[in-house]
Amino acid sequence: MAKQELTCDDILKELGAKQYRPVYYLMGEESYYIDLIADYITNNVLNETEKEFNLTVVYGADVDVATVINAAKRYPMMSEHQVVVVKEAQVIRNMEELSYYLQKPLLSTILVICHKHGTLDRRKKLAAEIEKVGVLFESKKIKEAQLPAFISSYMKRKGVDMEPKATAMLADFVGSDLSRLTGELEKLIITLPAGQRRVTPEQIEKNIGISKDYNNFELRSALVEKDILKANKIIKYFEENPKTNPIQITLSLLFNFYSNLMLAYYAPDKSEQGVANMLGLKTTWQAKDYIAAMRKYTGVKTMQIVGEIRYADAKSKGVKNSSMTDGDILRELVFNILH
C-alpha cells in the first residue's frame, strides 16, 4: 500500500507536539506552505537565547552540499537541538551528495531544506532516503476552485467570517498566489472596525481596491443571469480601469467557469452537493452559479462559449487582430455568450 503523504497541517501538528524529524525537505511550486513550515521551525523550536548559537540560515547561492552537511554535523550548544535552514536550495548542484549525511543524520540537528519552484525526482535514491529518515513534502499549487475554501478556513482560524461574495471577489482578484492572498487577508483583518468579525464586499472595495459592483465575480453573475445591461456596464468599467481589470484575468476566469460548467453537465447528481463533488468544490455555495447556468445554457452552447473564449484570448494577444481594443474584444465575447 502506498505511503500516505504528510500534509502541511500534519507536519505543523507534529511540530506543535515537539515531534521533530532530522530532515525536512520542502519542495514545490507553492512557496506559501514551504515558508509556513520553515518559519514555524525557525520561530518555535529554539528560544531566543538558544537561537543565538544554534540557528543557522544559509542561502543556496552561497553554499554547496558539503557546507550544508558540515553545518548539520555540528552539535548544539547549551540546547537540545540546533536548526539549520537552507533557503533557495533549488540552486545547489549535486544535491544527491546529501545522501552521505542521510545514512546517519544527527538527531540533535533539524535540517530544513527549502527547494522552491520545482521538485526532486521522486524516482531517485535521494528522495527515498529523505523519506526514510525525515519528511519529503511537496507544496502544490492549489486550484482556482479551491481558493474560496482556503480563504474561508484561513479566516475561520483567525476568528473572522467572510461573506461568500467577499470571498469570491478576493479569490477572483488575487488568484492562486497564496503568499499575496494571505497578505491581503491579514490587511483585511487589521482594518476591520472594532468589534466586527465579518468581512463584507464593502470592506473588500474599501481596503483592497476592488469595486464591489464592477468586478469579474459580478460579470460572471451577469452572464449566468443573462443580464445584458449589467454585463455591458461592467465591461465599460473594465475598459476605463484596465490596470485593475486586465483582460487576461477576466478571460482566464471565464474559461475556468465555462469549462467547469461543461463538466457539471456530466454530474450524475445535479444537486448542489452532486455538482460540488463533480467539480472538486469544497463548499456547496460555489455550485449555485453552475446550477443556475445549467438552466440558462445548453451543453452545446457551453462548448461554443469555451471556443469563443479561446478565440478572444488569441485576439487579445494580437492573433488575427489589428485594431480591436480589449474592451471591443470583451464586448464581442459577451455578445457571443449571450446570443
Side-chain angles (χ1 to χ4, degrees):
M1 209 171 96
K3 187 179 169 186
Q4 184 142 7
E5 283 191 30
L6 287 173
T7 65
C8 179
D9 284 343
D10 294 334
I11 295 166
L12 292 174
K13 202 176 281 179
E14 264 193 14
L15 291 166
K18 299 195 184 313
Q19 295 168 359
Y20 304 134
R21 316 268 189 124
V23 182
Y24 292 83
Y25 199 104
L26 314 173
M27 61 183 187
E29 297 299 330
E30 180 48 73
S31 299
Y32 172 74
Y33 294 112
I34 294 173
D35 290 336
L36 197 64
I37 296 166
D39 289 348
Y40 185 92
I41 293 170
T42 305
N43 296 329
N44 295 285
V45 172
L46 305 169
N47 64 36
E48 288 310 311
T49 313
E50 290 169 335
K51 278 180 194 173
E52 221 169 296
F53 299 105
N54 300 293
L55 174 62
T56 305
V57 179
V58 295
Y59 288 82
D62 305 325
V63 295
D64 55 16
V65 180
T67 313
V68 172
I69 292 173
N70 286 336
K73 279 184 168 175
R74 282 202 306 264
Y75 285 93
M77 285 178 69
M78 296 172 292
S79 170
E80 203 177 325
H81 293 99
Q82 74 144 340
V83 174
V84 178
V85 181
V86 185
K87 299 196 171 190
E88 308 296 341
Q90 67 275 11
V91 301
I92 297 178
R93 284 181 308 186
N94 305 332
M95 186 57 90
E96 61 277 3
E97 289 173 17
L98 188 66
S99 290
Y100 300 120
Y101 175 71
L102 297 174
Q103 304 312 312
K104 205 176 174 190
L106 214 58
L107 297 180
S108 55
T109 293
I110 298 167
L111 175 59
V112 184
I113 298 174
C114 305
H115 174 152
K116 294 182 178 179
H117 320 301
T119 58
L120 276 184
D121 185 341
R122 286 179 181 272
R123 295 164 301 180
K124 296 268 177 78
K125 191 173 148 206
L126 180 60
E129 287 177 335
I130 292 166
E131 287 193 293
K132 206 185 293 176
V133 297
V135 169
L136 181 64
F137 170 73
E138 185 176 350
S139 181
K140 293 173 182 168
K141 281 272 182 207
I142 74 168
K143 298 186 176 103
E144 300 280 343
Q146 297 167 320
L147 284 174
F150 174 88
I151 292 169
S152 299
S153 65
Y154 184 92
M155 293 302 255
K156 263 199 185 84
R157 287 199 301 273
K158 304 276 182 177
V160 177
D161 190 24
M162 259 183 102
E163 288 185 19
K165 182 182 169 181
T167 301
M169 281 168 66
L170 196 62
D172 285 353
F173 180 71
V174 178
S176 58
D177 178 342
L178 296 189
S179 299
R180 184 176 160 222
L181 183 58
T182 50
E184 296 291 4
L185 291 172
E186 288 297 334
K187 186 159 68 169
L188 281 170
I189 292 166
I190 292 163
T191 53
L192 272 175
Q196 192 176 324
R197 304 305 288 167
R198 186 172 175 82
V199 175
T200 63
E202 285 74 20
Q203 267 142 343
I204 299 277
E205 181 174 49
K206 186 177 166 192
N207 297 300
I208 310 290
I210 318 165
S211 164
K212 70 180 170 58
D213 299 315
Y214 301 101
N215 55 66
N216 287 306
F217 173 73
E218 289 297 338
L219 176 60
R220 190 176 66 207
S221 295
L223 294 175
V224 168
E225 292 154 16
K226 291 204 164 181
D227 186 333
I228 297 170
L229 182 63
K230 183 179 172 186
N232 280 297
K233 272 186 180 174
I234 293 169
I235 288 162
K236 186 171 184 295
Y237 179 85
F238 283 6
E239 199 172 20
E240 290 163 358
N241 300 273
K243 279 189 180 166
T244 48
N245 302 280
I247 188 170
Q248 295 303 334
I249 289 178
T250 300
L251 293 175
S252 169
L253 292 165
L254 291 178
F255 182 79
N256 285 341
F257 179 76
Y258 283 100
S259 300
N260 275 342
L261 183 58
M262 277 176 66
L263 282 178
Y265 286 107
Y266 293 99
D269 169 12
K270 300 287 194 294
S271 69
E272 282 179 19
Q273 189 61 61
V275 169
N277 291 345
M278 183 71 184
L279 301 180
L281 306 173
K282 295 283 176 75
T283 54
T284 53
W285 67 260
Q286 286 175 267
K288 286 176 183 167
D289 271 356
Y290 293 105
I291 289 170
M294 279 194 279
R295 294 191 196 110
K296 301 274 188 175
Y297 298 95
T298 64
V300 172
K301 178 63 179 173
T302 303
M303 280 180 73
Q304 288 171 352
I305 290 169
V306 169
E308 292 289 351
I309 297 169
R310 284 184 190 278
Y311 186 44
D313 182 55
K315 278 189 188 169
S316 75
K317 291 164 181 162
V319 179
K320 293 186 182 172
N321 170 34
S322 55
S323 58
M324 287 178 84
T325 65
D326 287 354
D328 293 335
I329 293 167
L330 276 181
R331 253 187 296 278
E332 181 183 72
L333 175 62
V334 164
F335 180 86
N336 291 331
I337 289 173
L338 295 174
H339 295 86

